[in-house]
Amino acid sequence: MKATTKPMTNNECNGSEQHKTLRVIAVFEATKGVLAILLVIGLIELMHHDIRLIVHNIIGHYGLNANNRFPTLLEHGADVFYDANKLSWFTLAVAYISVRFLEAYGLWHNTIWGESLTAFSGGIYLPFEVSHMLHSPSWSSVLVLIGNTLMVVYLVGQLWQRTISQTSISNVKSNKNDAD
């Protein structure tokens, strides 16, 4: 007996593609969460060392001119890290990681709250990304802005479609109840 599969309707096909897209975004958000965890682990490891000495050793080892831009940024980063309130940074990191994993879970399971949270949190970054691109234009800043904008627009579109779909379903139910 030959197994047959019925062709997907247009709505089923779109729903399947939309779900795949949401899962791609979910994996991306989860990846950002995992990278943030690795960064936190690395920073915790650095807390037990003299970061300023490490930076000076790196600059000396590679023969970098301490007055150039990159070594100056490294030294500034070491000073900021040394003087920073570690508990505040850790709390912010835990919040960032939690949001990334909540977004990933919500998108993976195709929830409205997952789409809303991701669209909102992605939308928050847009003004900062535009500002960064205008002040320090680079291909990476342009790509990040385009990618984040596309993601936010896609998710807002998804939410809009859900709203329209739910409104039309409730209108049909209302009309049916009125006819009875």
Side-chain angles (χ1 to χ4, degrees):
M1 183 181 283
K2 185 178 178 184
T4 60
T5 58
K6 70 175 191 168
M8 295 175 104
T9 66
N10 211 14
N11 280 344
E12 289 173 330
C13 184
N14 287 341
S16 174
E17 289 300 315
Q18 290 166 350
H19 193 64
K20 285 179 187 175
T21 304
L22 290 178
R23 286 200 164 184
V24 167
I25 297 171
V27 168
F28 179 67
E29 294 301 327
T31 302
K32 290 194 300 187
V34 169
L35 291 174
I37 288 172
L38 294 174
L39 179 65
V40 168
I41 291 170
L43 291 175
I44 289 171
E45 221 15 71
L46 283 175
M47 285 174 33
H48 304 294
H49 301 286
D50 183 358
I51 189 75
R52 291 177 180 154
L53 179 63
I54 293 171
V55 166
H56 287 294
N57 287 341
I58 290 170
I59 291 170
H61 177 75
Y62 290 103
L64 302 173
N65 181 350
N67 295 324
N68 286 348
R69 183 170 187 250
F70 182 68
T72 304
L73 284 174
L74 278 176
E75 288 175 338
H76 176 72
D79 289 339
V80 168
F81 181 75
Y82 184 78
D83 296 334
N85 180 338
K86 309 291 188 296
L87 181 60
S88 295
W89 281 104
F90 182 75
T91 303
L92 285 173
V94 168
Y96 177 86
I97 292 165
S98 299
V99 168
R100 294 296 153 241
F101 285 128
L102 278 171
E103 290 173 348
Y105 179 87
L107 291 171
W108 190 266
H109 294 285
N110 197 17
T111 64
I112 293 174
W113 63 263
E115 291 175 15
S116 300
L117 178 62
T118 308
F120 177 74
S121 71
I124 287 174
Y125 290 111
L126 290 177
F128 299 105
E129 291 169 358
V130 168
S131 175
H132 177 72
M133 188 189 67
L134 293 175
H135 288 80
S136 302
S138 68
W139 283 107
S140 61
S141 63
V142 169
L143 291 175
V144 167
L145 177 62
I146 290 171
N148 199 20
T149 302
L150 289 174
M151 181 187 70
V152 169
V153 167
Y154 176 80
L155 291 172
V156 168
Q158 286 291 107
L159 291 166
W160 182 256
Q161 280 183 332
R162 282 186 192 239
T163 303
I164 290 172
S165 174
Q166 289 174 350
T167 303
S168 63
I169 289 171
S170 62
N171 285 344
V172 167
K173 287 181 181 178
S174 173
N175 290 340
K176 183 180 177 192
N177 289 339
D178 290 344
D180 291 340

